[in-house]
Structure formats: C-alpha cells, structure tokens
C-alpha cells in the first residue's frame, strides 16, 4: 500500500466540543438515562438532602456539552491547526502546517466509526481523534482509509 494523504483540513472548536459530547453520550448512555431516573426516584420518595441529590442527578445530563468543551480543550489546540493526515503501513501521521504534529500507531487504533461528516478514530487508551470525511480527495481514498483501519469488519 502506498501512503495515503488527505487534503489539509482544520477543525472548528465547536465541532470538536460537539463531537466530544456526542461520543460521551454514545459511550455512557446508560448512565445518562440512569442518573436522572434515580434522581426522580429520590425527589419522589425522599426528603431533604435526598431530594437535593435527586435534583442534581436530574440536572446532571444538561452539563454534558460544557464538559465536552472542557474535556477537549487541551487536545483541541492541535486539532485547530491546519492539518494533513498521512496513512502509512504502520501509523497515522498528523502534520500541522506549523511543523508540529503527532503519530498514532495503527496497532493502537481500537475502533473507527463514521459519524456524520467525520471519521472518529478511537484509540486503546479511550481517546479519540476526529478526521473530516471532506479531507479525503476522493471516495476511493476514503475507501482505502476505511479498509486500512478495518472498518466494516
């Protein structure tokens, strides 16, 4: 396989935050449903401190977008720069226009999913990296990327 390069792409801060919140919701849906349900039970059956805890549990899911913003702040600095992704036989190379970048070994890629306009690359350390589908020059390049990262298996 020859190296595959994307066009230069740049993510927007809001886009990163929303993707982070979405991934959080997808991964912890059971908690997002369970906490408010427990909160409603606390409000209905408890008194005093238990009811206060119930209110916190009911309102907790509303904080997810803000936590998505805060959780992605450090990683966003790199993703906000114009970047080119290069896929080699052994790794993904993220090269920013300012000369900085990062490497991700293919062996550490756990899961890749297509979510709306992005590929979401999950690592074994439970971190994820979004790559816009528009960054690929052609549908053929996107298909090669999907095949190399094991999508559809």
């Amino acid at each position: 396989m020859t190296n595959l390069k994307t066009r230069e792409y740049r993510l927007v801060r809001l886009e990163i935050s929303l993707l982070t919140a979405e991934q959080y919701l997808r991964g912890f849906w059971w908690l997002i449903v369970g906490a408010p349900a427990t909160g409603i039970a606390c409000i209905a059956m408890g008194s005093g401190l238990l009811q206060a805890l119930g209110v916190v549990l009911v309102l907790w899911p509303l904080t997810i977008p803000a936590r998505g913003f805060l959780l992605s702040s450090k990683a966003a600095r790199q993703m906000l720069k114009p970047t080119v992704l290069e896929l080699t036989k052994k790794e993904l190379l993220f090269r920013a226009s300012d000369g900085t970048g990062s490497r991700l070994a293919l062996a550490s890629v756990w899961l890749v999913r297509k979510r709306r306009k992005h590929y979401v690359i999950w690592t074994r350390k439970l971190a994820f990296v979004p790559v816009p589908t528009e960054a690929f020059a052609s549908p053929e390049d996107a298909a090669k990327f999907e095949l190399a990262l094991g999508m559809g298996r």
Side-chain angles (χ1 to χ4, degrees):
M1 174 183 88
T2 59
N3 291 1
L4 174 68
K5 285 187 179 182
T6 64
R7 294 185 289 236
E8 188 174 84
Y9 66 89
R10 176 185 234 153
L11 297 173
V12 178
R13 184 72 182 101
L14 180 61
E15 188 177 29
I16 297 166
S17 298
L18 290 174
L19 278 166
T20 301
E22 180 184 2
Q23 297 313 306
Y24 188 85
L25 288 169
R26 287 178 177 277
F28 297 104
W29 65 267
W30 50 272
L31 185 60
I32 294 162
V33 171
T38 302
I40 290 169
C42 288
I43 292 168
M45 294 182 232
S47 63
L49 192 57
L50 195 58
Q51 284 182 322
L53 176 64
V55 170
V56 170
L57 289 172
V58 167
L59 296 177
W60 173 75
L62 300 176
T63 66
I64 291 172
R67 283 185 283 132
F69 180 82
L70 293 173
L71 287 171
S72 63
S73 292
K74 185 177 178 185
R77 280 185 232 129
Q78 183 66 31
M79 292 187 250
L80 292 171
K81 299 174 185 176
T83 302
V84 172
L85 168 63
E86 183 177 353
L87 170 66
T88 69
K89 290 181 182 181
K90 294 184 179 185
E91 61 190 356
L92 294 169
L93 303 171
F94 296 88
R95 295 190 175 133
S97 60
D98 66 359
T100 62
S102 59
R103 298 169 178 258
L104 177 60
L106 291 180
S108 65
V109 172
W110 170 55
L111 181 69
V112 181
R113 291 282 186 251
K114 196 172 184 180
R115 301 281 186 233
R116 291 189 203 101
K117 297 179 180 181
H118 295 87
Y119 288 104
V120 179
I121 305 166
W122 281 93
T123 69
R124 298 195 186 282
K125 293 181 179 181
L126 296 180
F128 76 91
V129 181
V131 177
T133 54
E134 298 169 346
F136 293 92
S138 67
E140 292 78 21
D141 282 354
K144 288 177 190 175
F145 177 78
E146 291 175 10
L147 183 64
L149 293 179
M151 282 184 69
R153 282 191 238 169

